[in-house]
Amino acid sequence: MGLFSAMLWIYYAFLKPDTTLLITINSVGCLIQSAYICFYLFFAPKYARVQTVKMLVLLNVVGLGLIMLLTHYLAKDDSYRANIVGWICLVFSLCVFVAPLCVVRQVIRTKSVEYMPFLLSFFLTLSAVMWFFYGLLRKDYNIAIPNVLGFIFGVLQMVLYAIYKNGKKVVQEKQKQIPEILQSQINIAIEEQKLPELKDQIIDVVKLGGIAVEIIPVLPVLVV
């Protein structure tokens, strides 16, 4: 969504005069968001990787292409086209600012801020304030309005950080639980391996034609 929003803002900037700053910041945003997505695709499991690629093609290729084609051919006047694209940018910018709500929910649920860095929230708030005044001074409300919501969510995240900054570390607790889970899985695996081995030994006894043979179960030794 961040990549899609940045690409939309670049298209909007080319429809308006004197928008060098808008083109510059969103070009950098496209590079950074693309890097984030590449890292995610590299480390994600196969199913998540496939779903992400589908979403990228659907949203950033098909969606952006349709917006550009429709606004180019249906809106003949440049100012009218810029106004339509501006409202579309406004909607998707709101979606970008709403996206951190899932992190806010996780912070409240776990009472831990390890998933929500303070510097990210601080600079989100600072950026929203700067872009709000930039849009207001240029009388471009498509830029100003979404950053009001960005400022509100930024302040909300910093307040949550102040409340839960001394909370428990969820990741450390999960790491402590890993040895216990591994040990239980090892025990289950050993128990499951006993039955097939005993079955094979019984079959060998039957093949010997009733010869009495002492069966000594051999259990695998797991070296950790």
Side-chain angles (χ1 to χ4, degrees):
M1 189 62 70
L3 177 61
F4 182 62
S5 177
M7 294 169 70
L8 269 178
W9 280 113
I10 292 175
Y11 177 49
Y12 173 75
F14 279 116
L15 300 175
K16 301 276 289 186
D18 301 326
T19 52
T20 305
L21 288 176
L22 206 56
I23 294 173
T24 304
I25 189 62
N26 284 286
S27 298
V28 175
C30 283
L31 293 175
I32 295 175
Q33 296 291 347
S34 298
Y36 288 161
I37 294 171
C38 288
F39 277 114
Y40 179 82
L41 291 175
F42 182 78
F43 290 105
K46 183 178 179 180
Y47 177 78
R49 192 180 301 130
V50 171
Q51 295 300 316
T52 303
V53 171
K54 288 180 180 178
M55 188 181 300
L56 276 173
V57 173
L58 183 63
L59 192 63
N60 295 75
V61 179
V62 178
L64 183 64
L66 285 175
I67 290 174
M68 295 177 69
L69 286 174
L70 291 175
T71 54
H72 180 75
Y73 288 105
L74 296 181
K76 300 299 182 181
D77 184 63
D78 289 340
S79 60
Y80 182 60
R81 185 184 303 124
N83 192 33
I84 294 175
V85 176
W87 279 101
I88 297 173
C89 290
L90 188 151
V91 171
F92 282 99
S93 293
L94 291 176
C95 293
V96 172
F97 285 123
V98 169
L101 282 179
C102 60
V103 179
V104 170
R105 179 186 176 188
Q106 191 172 15
V107 169
I108 296 174
R109 183 172 55 85
T110 61
K111 295 181 173 58
S112 173
V113 295
E114 57 187 322
Y115 300 106
M116 188 182 67
F118 176 78
L119 288 179
L120 181 62
S121 303
F122 174 75
F123 282 107
L124 171 67
T125 308
L126 188 62
S127 174
V129 172
M130 295 297 101
W131 281 107
F132 169 76
F133 283 110
Y134 174 80
L136 190 65
L137 293 174
R138 288 181 57 91
K139 296 182 179 180
D140 192 335
Y141 300 109
N142 294 321
I143 298 175
I145 293 175
N147 286 286
V148 175
L149 190 63
F151 172 76
I152 294 172
F153 281 121
V155 171
L156 174 62
Q157 290 180 32
M158 288 193 293
V159 170
L160 287 176
Y161 188 91
I163 295 173
Y164 296 116
K165 64 180 179 179
N166 297 321
K168 59 184 180 180
K169 299 294 184 181
V170 178
V171 173
Q172 292 179 0
E173 291 188 357
K174 288 182 179 178
Q175 290 175 347
K176 291 179 182 178
Q177 295 173 358
I178 288 176
E180 299 177 0
I181 296 173
L182 287 176
Q183 186 60 47
S184 64
Q185 291 177 348
I186 291 170
N187 294 335
I188 293 173
I190 291 174
E191 292 297 329
E192 288 178 350
Q193 289 177 5
K194 287 181 181 179
L195 293 177
E197 291 180 0
L198 289 175
K199 182 179 178 181
D200 293 338
Q201 291 176 354
I202 292 171
I203 292 173
D204 292 337
V205 171
V206 173
K207 289 181 179 179
L208 288 174
I211 299 176
V213 179
E214 183 180 1
I215 300 174
I216 303 176
V218 179
L219 298 180
V221 178
L222 182 63
V223 179
V224 180

